[in-house]
Amino acid sequence: QSQNRQSQPGPIELLTLSACETAEGDERAALGLAGVAVQSGARSTLASLWSIDDRANAFLMVEFYHQLMENPAFSKSQALRQAQLKLVSHPNYAHPSYWAPYVLLGNWL
């Protein structure tokens, strides 16, 4: 039985839901799929509140993970902020509709 406990994986540290409206809730799930993921044991969930541009989303996700890898001292929220700032500085993605829909639920560290 102790062998079963050792083989069970720990909680998910970060679940990234990069599809549109994954943090949009309804009467049954206050924060959509992202809220359900956190309630189910994921420590953190990155999601979006509304429809997002595919290219801007890919740009943000690549930059978010780049920030996490290149800056080990960064929290998830700091990495997200830096990725959003990178989008803001891009001439095609400066409008808030490209960078503002992202939310980080759960543990931000």
Side-chain angles (χ1 to χ4, degrees):
Q1 190 171 24
S2 66
Q3 201 171 20
N4 276 345
R5 279 191 221 142
Q6 290 176 349
S7 66
Q8 292 178 351
I12 296 170
E13 185 61 38
L14 173 64
L15 177 63
T16 302
L17 302 170
S18 61
C20 295
E21 302 171 13
T22 51
E24 182 181 11
D26 60 20
E27 305 83 43
R28 293 176 30 208
L31 291 168
L33 290 175
V36 170
V38 170
Q39 289 175 339
S40 297
R43 290 195 173 144
S44 303
T45 305
L46 176 60
S48 67
L49 291 166
W50 58 76
S51 293
I52 46 182
D53 178 83
D54 287 339
R55 288 186 180 159
N57 184 47
F59 186 96
L60 182 121
M61 291 298 157
V62 167
E63 188 60 29
F64 172 70
Y65 280 102
H66 173 78
Q67 291 295 328
L68 284 175
M69 297 298 293
E70 293 296 315
N71 303 293
F74 270 15
S75 66
K76 295 171 202 121
S77 61
Q78 288 172 309
L80 176 58
R81 180 179 183 272
Q82 290 303 314
Q84 288 172 309
L85 288 172
K86 193 86 165 195
L87 269 181
V88 169
S89 68
H90 191 287
N92 294 337
Y93 306 128
H95 191 276
S97 65
Y98 293 108
W99 55 265
Y102 298 94
V103 294
L104 185 61
L105 303 174
N107 181 355
W108 302 342
L109 302 177

